[in-house]
Amino acid sequence: MNESQTPPKSIVLVGFMGSGKSTVGRALHQRLGYPLVDMDQWIEQRARKSIAAIFADEGEQAFRDMETSLLEELDEPTAPRRIISTGGGVIGREENRVLLRRLGYVVWLHAPMEVILERTAKNRERPLLHTDDPAARIAALMAARKPLYEEVAHLRIETAGLDSNELTTGILESARYFFSGHL
Ligand code: S3P
């Protein structure tokens, strides 16, 4: 990867399902005015169906291909500075991790297992958690993904106990340092 050819510009939020990426993404968008790309929403709009329906009709790999093509599309030299909020599994493919780092300052929103469980139990929109034992599935996915979030992220933020305003302020302060080294 050659990060120096196209300086990374956007703020990219990664993290597990229910870690608050969409909420913090909206707050950053409001604070900075940069366009917001919520990848799950874009994919749903383009496919004209929900993520659950994409998984059911076409399978997870088709959804993963959609994620990779959207990242490739976002990675163009004339792209504006954006806030990019990703789906929790986007870090699974190595090519995606390379693209995420090329796109910008990658912030990992980390939340403890109990918080994830509580938040994800509130809606049934996540096909990977359509199982008899969502807690076991979450634990397994978290264990498998943790090293990948660690690898891709420039910054890890513990979200527990902080509201989106506080998280946004923290992200903006550290992003400022990051971007000043990449001008
Ligand atoms: C997924 C997370 C979801 C969505 C899809 C798969 C995952 O996004 O992309 O259901 O693999 O963790 P959120 O992290 O926004 O829930």
Side-chain angles (χ1 to χ4, degrees):
M1 169 174 54
N2 185 350
E3 286 184 341
S4 63
Q5 276 180 347
T6 320
K9 321 192 226 191
S10 295
I11 296 179
V12 183
L13 302 175
V14 300
F16 207 79
M17 297 174 255
S19 59
K21 301 175 300 267
S22 298
T23 310
V24 172
R26 281 193 298 273
L28 284 166
H29 161 67
Q30 274 163 11
R31 193 85 82 84
L32 289 171
Y34 298 167
L36 172 66
V37 175
D38 184 316
M39 288 186 62
D40 285 348
Q41 270 184 20
W42 275 42
I43 288 173
E44 287 186 324
Q45 277 162 13
R46 286 178 177 187
R48 292 168 194 266
K49 53 181 152 181
S50 68
I51 287 170
I54 298 172
F55 270 64
D57 300 348
E58 302 170 50
E60 178 173 352
Q61 286 319 307
F63 173 73
R64 299 297 170 201
D65 290 341
M66 293 175 197
E67 287 186 310
T68 302
S69 1
L70 177 51
L71 289 174
E72 283 167 349
E73 197 183 308
L74 294 172
D75 178 39
E76 32 105 11
T78 57
R81 218 160 240 209
R82 299 180 169 111
I83 308 298
I84 302 172
S85 145
T86 63
V90 76
I91 41 69
R93 289 188 178 176
E94 193 193 345
E95 57 185 319
N96 292 0
R97 298 197 294 279
V98 171
L99 284 161
L100 291 165
R101 299 271 300 199
R102 284 169 54 86
L103 283 169
Y105 185 53
V106 183
V107 178
W108 172 19
L109 298 182
H110 182 266
M113 171 86 186
E114 314 79 69
V115 174
I116 300 285
L117 247 180
E118 193 196 312
R119 289 198 190 142
T120 53
K122 285 185 191 146
N123 73 56
R124 298 282 300 146
E125 282 159 25
R126 296 180 169 100
L128 290 179
L129 303 182
H130 293 171
T131 139
D132 291 341
D133 191 353
R137 171 62 64 84
I138 290 173
L141 284 172
M142 270 186 141
R145 289 175 176 180
K146 196 167 171 236
L148 305 178
Y149 292 125
E150 243 151 30
E151 180 194 313
V152 76
H154 294 102
L155 173 74
R156 165 180 164 148
I157 295 212
E158 291 303 327
T159 60
L162 299 179
D163 65 26
S164 67
N165 213 13
E166 292 164 323
L167 291 169
T168 304
T169 303
I171 292 169
L172 288 179
E173 276 176 14
S174 52
R176 211 164 282 138
Y177 282 105
F178 175 81
F179 289 122
S180 65
H182 286 79
L183 292 176

